[in-house]
Amino acid sequence: MKHILVTIPVEDRHKDYLENIGQGCQFQYTSPLAATQEQLEQAEIMIGNVSPEKLKNAKRLEWLQLNSAGADNYCKDGVLKEGVLLTNATGAYGLAISEYMVGMSFLLQNKLYQYYENQRNHQWKDEGNVTSVYGSVTLVVGLGDIGGEYAKRMKALGSYTIGVRRTKSQKPEYLDELYTMEKLDSLIPRADFVALSLPNTPATHHLMDERRLRLMKRTGFLINVGRGSAIDTEALCKVLKEGHLGGCGVDVTDPEPLPEDHPLWDMPRMVITPHISGQFHLQETFERIVKIAGRNLEKFLAGQKNDMENLVDFKTGYRRR
């Protein structure tokens, strides 16, 4: 009998679904903040993002199913004892976050953020020319579920789509071109939209530094929904002040949360949201997370651990392929 601790906000129907799969297991339901030391010490399986600092008490833990796509905080040395399986929620967030990204694309290029500000100031003012997604070039850096879904939508809207990923693979239909990271510098100047959906790893830290930001078109738009550390924040402030970039929209920042007095808040053509594009704001996202957890629970209990979805490679922070 396995002790399973569920820290995501499940309803009775979700409990029935999980308990039907885990018949004979002992389930406990709580929240990440309310999880007690006793619950953590007993748990052999956890479903949900318990704080990494609390996991030192999880002596019996065999498998942690995250409710996030990002796993970097759990891949650090000492967070999980050796041999613990880690799976993330890749596949759950593509719908919600890609639609956020499309919305951000339209907001930036049509200057809707400026018209909203004008409305607040009671100003009837024309902000000038705009551009179109149709006929644009979209460069998607990071082609997991989120980046791939965004590329699909931009392609459907008439954009020429280019993808960049870590490893070589067959080009999907929704991309016009596909490359690996060493081609990034030659691709950035071609793009009207540069979209980042990357985890926090040493390889992605400050990927968009000042040099690469200046490689972008002066009229280009930068969107980041992965981790804030992918952009050098100080460099971003500098180029925006100088009038470089048509706009930047981010759901993640470095540092995060962004301090009230941080200069990024007041940069021109800058749109910031507080890491809300994913989470559970869209109910379908949560339903997908529960289904991923359920399918993985079934495989784990059947001894099919190598067949579980979204097993994370601790060295890279990405799911294994």
Side-chain angles (χ1 to χ4, degrees):
M1 178 180 70
K2 295 293 184 184
H3 290 260
I4 302 174
L5 182 64
V6 180
T7 65
I8 55 176
V10 288
E11 301 173 13
D12 287 343
R13 59 191 176 90
H14 301 126
K15 294 178 182 179
D16 291 341
Y17 166 71
L18 293 171
E19 291 175 13
N20 184 59
I21 294 171
Q23 293 183 25
C25 296
Q26 182 176 333
F27 284 81
Q28 287 189 296
Y29 299 94
T30 184
S31 70
L33 291 177
T36 66
Q37 182 169 334
E38 182 181 2
Q39 288 174 324
L40 294 169
E41 289 176 348
Q42 288 181 343
E44 294 160 281
I45 297 170
M46 290 188 196
I47 300 174
N49 287 34
V50 173
S51 168
E53 293 76 24
K54 285 188 172 184
L55 291 176
K56 63 184 179 183
N57 298 319
K59 306 298 185 184
R60 301 176 63 191
L61 186 64
E62 299 175 26
W63 163 45
L64 172 60
Q65 169 67 60
L66 299 177
N67 57 253
S68 63
D72 47 285
N73 288 333
Y74 297 87
C75 293
K76 298 174 181 176
D77 289 342
V79 174
L80 296 173
K81 63 184 176 67
E82 189 173 353
V84 174
L85 295 175
L86 178 64
T87 53
N88 65 18
T90 294
Y93 290 95
L95 174 63
I97 299 182
S98 65
E99 290 188 354
Y100 166 97
M101 295 169 77
V102 171
M104 183 65 77
S105 302
F106 281 130
L107 182 147
L108 289 170
Q109 71 171 178
N110 288 287
K111 304 178 183 176
L112 299 182
Y113 60 91
Q114 186 60 61
Y115 286 109
Y116 178 68
E117 188 64 26
N118 292 349
Q119 177 187 336
R120 295 186 63 186
N121 293 327
H122 300 188
Q123 290 182 309
W124 187 275
K125 181 182 177 185
D126 189 325
E127 293 295 341
N129 294 342
V130 298
T131 58
S132 175
V133 169
Y134 183 84
S136 67
V137 174
T138 298
L139 175 62
V140 182
V141 186
L143 281 170
D145 175 49
I146 295 166
E149 290 297 315
Y150 175 65
K152 287 178 188 177
R153 285 157 176 73
M154 294 297 276
K155 177 72 171 175
L157 290 166
S159 187
Y160 186 89
T161 53
I162 305 172
V164 174
R165 66 186 322 157
R166 287 183 308 128
T167 56
K168 291 182 179 180
S169 65
Q170 186 173 354
K171 182 180 72 66
E173 290 185 2
Y174 57 79
L175 291 178
D176 294 292
E177 300 177 31
L178 176 62
Y179 301 94
T180 49
M181 293 294 284
E182 65 267 17
K183 298 291 186 182
L184 184 60
D185 285 1
S186 65
L187 299 171
I188 289 174
R190 298 173 55 189
D192 298 293
F193 295 93
V194 175
L196 311 176
S197 54
L198 298 163
N200 179 26
T201 71
T204 62
H205 183 76
H206 286 188
L207 185 76
M208 295 300 292
D209 55 12
E210 183 175 346
R211 182 183 64 83
R212 286 201 173 109
L213 289 169
R214 293 191 184 282
L215 287 178
M216 290 183 63
K217 295 180 180 180
R218 291 185 65 86
T219 56
F221 302 102
L222 178 62
I223 297 171
N224 188 18
V225 295
R227 287 292 182 267
S229 58
I231 300 175
D232 181 338
T233 305
E234 185 176 340
L236 178 62
C237 290
K238 184 176 181 180
V239 298
L240 286 170
K241 273 185 179 179
E242 294 176 6
H244 198 77
L245 300 186
C248 180
V250 299
D251 189 45
V252 288
T253 60
D254 183 20
E256 187 176 307
L258 195 65
E260 289 183 12
D261 60 351
H262 198 284
L264 189 64
W265 289 111
D266 299 313
M267 288 300 106
R269 306 175 309 287
M270 185 76 219
V271 180
I272 302 168
T273 55
H275 208 150
I276 47 72
S277 61
Q279 300 187 33
F280 305 147
H281 292 98
L282 181 67
Q283 183 63 31
E284 177 60 22
T285 299
F286 187 77
E287 301 299 328
R288 293 182 180 191
I289 291 168
V290 174
K291 292 295 184 183
I292 290 169
R295 293 193 296 268
N296 275 342
L297 179 61
E298 185 173 17
K299 290 175 182 175
F300 183 90
L301 295 175
Q304 300 170 354
K305 297 177 182 179
N306 288 333
D307 296 328
M308 293 168 68
E309 295 177 36
N310 302 338
L311 284 163
V312 174
D313 183 336
F314 284 84
K315 292 181 180 179
T316 66
Y318 291 86
R319 61 175 172 170
R320 303 179 199 168
R321 294 193 177 279

